[in-house]
Amino acid sequence: MTQPLLRIESLRVDFPTDDGVVHAVDGVDLEVFPGEIVAVVGESGSGKSVTAMSVLRLLREPPARVSADVLTFRDHDLRTLSPADLRALRGGPVGMIFQDPMTALNPVMTIGDQIAEAVLLHQAERDRRAARRRAVDLLGLVGVPDAAQRARQYPHEFSGGMRQRAMIAMAIANDPDLIIADEPTTALDVTIQAQVLELVRKAQRETGAATVLITHDLGVVAELADRVVVMYAGRVVETAGVEALFAQPRHPYTVGLLASLPRMDIDTDELNAIPGNPPNMIDPPSGCPFHPRCPLARERCVTERPGLREVAPGRRSACHYAEEVGT
Ligand code: SF4
């Protein structure tokens, strides 16, 4: 059987604050296999971005406290890699695309030089001129017009959508095996979003990289993902293939997320947002953390925490009553 490229078991991330410890990620398990696109979805505060950032140890530790039983990329134990080895992974075998490209781009360096630097950092055998040519090719590949000329410009001379394209070019510059894309379209306007999504898909096809796509947007999930991981209150509450998840969700939270999607086929202005608010992660609810918002909740849910269990082949749900959901 194919081995997972990325394996996470029992990941926990805590942030001590003046008000108490925020349990941002509370025992997440996740496997990503070569070539697949896994979407991690949930409301803001569900722990999805913190999970993604923990993979390459991008959180500042301290204050963050990160622990896991297993955290591996290929045969690298990410818990014990040196900072230099982690840097060698980032932008090399693991490409990253963030919501805000300005955090990833250097404002005082031309776009072309930044991409060429990324190439040289991981492909030392290339000379500088070859790296610059590769930068221009990559910009062309991600749809930046007049790539040779635009490569000489600085990030502030690029629009938001073009900066996102440049960051995608950097993420794929070294033919990664894994791409982590954290809300890649959230900061963009709707027409540009579609183009950038298409580009993420193209980047994935060009490189054959497995992709972890962090998003709160189920429309994006339906477009791109093979498999979906739904997070709530720092935990995984459901995993399924994308078609199965949309056809029949097996966790009441997923049902709520799907119901809040605008429907083209129903003439209504009402959006069915999930009632209530995400929990306070300093003092999360007892039992199932979703129970204060769950229409199926009963006594057992208040006292007993549901584990993530297989409810059908390839499907897992963390609900005591998963078999009743959607029936
Ligand atoms: Fe709802 Fe109970 Fe299932 Fe939690 S365990 S999702 S509260 S029915």
Side-chain angles (χ1 to χ4, degrees), residues 251-253 288 290-291 294 296-298 301 306 318-321:
H251 192 283
Y253 177 61
C288 173
F290 190 55
H291 82 255
C294 181
L296 294 185
R298 44 201 100 158
C301 306
C319 171
H320 294 310
Y321 304 105

Side-chain angles (χ1 to χ4, degrees), residues 56-305:
L56 287 181
R57 314 301 298 260
L58 287 169
L59 299 168
R60 267 207 312 139
E61 299 174 53
R65 292 197 302 241
V66 180
S67 69
D69 290 350
V70 177
L71 189 58
T72 57
F73 169 71
R74 293 203 205 116
D75 52 359
H76 302 288
D77 187 341
L78 300 167
R79 296 170 307 174
T80 53
L81 277 192
S82 68
D85 288 341
L86 283 167
R87 274 197 300 277
L89 285 184
R90 298 178 196 133
V94 185
M96 289 170 301
I97 304 168
F98 297 103
Q99 179 176 344
D100 177 9
M102 281 315 252
T103 56
L105 295 172
N106 182 341
V108 296
M109 210 172 165
T110 67
I111 295 280
D113 279 352
Q114 294 188 53
I115 300 172
E117 282 284 312
V119 171
L120 285 171
L121 200 61
H122 297 276
Q123 300 177 43
E125 72 284 1
R126 283 189 193 250
D127 64 33
R128 192 158 284 278
R129 280 177 67 176
R132 290 186 128 274
R133 275 201 304 277
R134 169 92 174 127
V136 172
D137 289 348
L138 283 163
L139 285 174
L141 182 75
V142 298
V144 172
D146 304 319
Q149 190 199 335
R150 301 298 303 262
R152 290 194 285 274
Q153 293 183 327
Y154 291 88
H156 73 266
E157 297 175 272
F158 274 47
S159 66
M162 283 294 152
R163 279 199 289 264
Q164 199 66 323
R165 285 170 192 267
M167 190 161 55
I168 293 172
M170 265 165 92
I172 63 172
N174 293 299
D175 206 12
D177 293 329
L178 177 67
I179 296 173
I180 298 176
D182 188 4
E183 302 273 11
T185 60
T186 302
L188 304 172
D189 73 46
V190 178
T191 48
I192 308 291
Q193 279 184 9
Q195 294 169 15
V196 169
L197 270 190
E198 190 46 47
L199 202 54
V200 172
R201 195 201 313 262
K202 185 175 173 189
Q204 196 271 339
R205 281 201 200 117
E206 287 281 332
T207 57
T211 301
V212 177
L213 179 68
I214 312 295
T215 181
H216 64 276
D217 185 339
L218 283 168
V220 170
V221 173
E223 278 281 309
L224 285 185
D226 301 312
R227 209 152 56 79
V228 189
V229 172
V230 183
M231 285 189 67
Y232 185 77
R235 301 174 188 180
V236 174
V237 296
E238 181 162 9
T239 66
V242 68
E243 281 168 20
L245 186 105
F246 278 80
Q248 193 191 11
R250 290 299 195 94
H251 192 283
Y253 177 61
T254 316
V255 173
L257 282 182
L258 291 175
S260 61
L261 266 178
R263 298 261 311 256
M264 296 297 187
D265 55 336
I266 295 180
D267 186 18
T268 174
D269 292 333
E270 240 177 77
L271 270 184
N272 299 307
I274 302 169
N277 293 309
N280 171 352
M281 295 306 289
I282 291 176
D283 186 18
S286 61
C288 173
F290 190 55
H291 82 255
R293 305 171 76 185
C294 181
L296 294 185
R298 44 201 100 158
E299 200 53 42
R300 181 184 176 197
C301 306
V302 181
T303 54
E304 198 181 319
R305 173 178 168 166

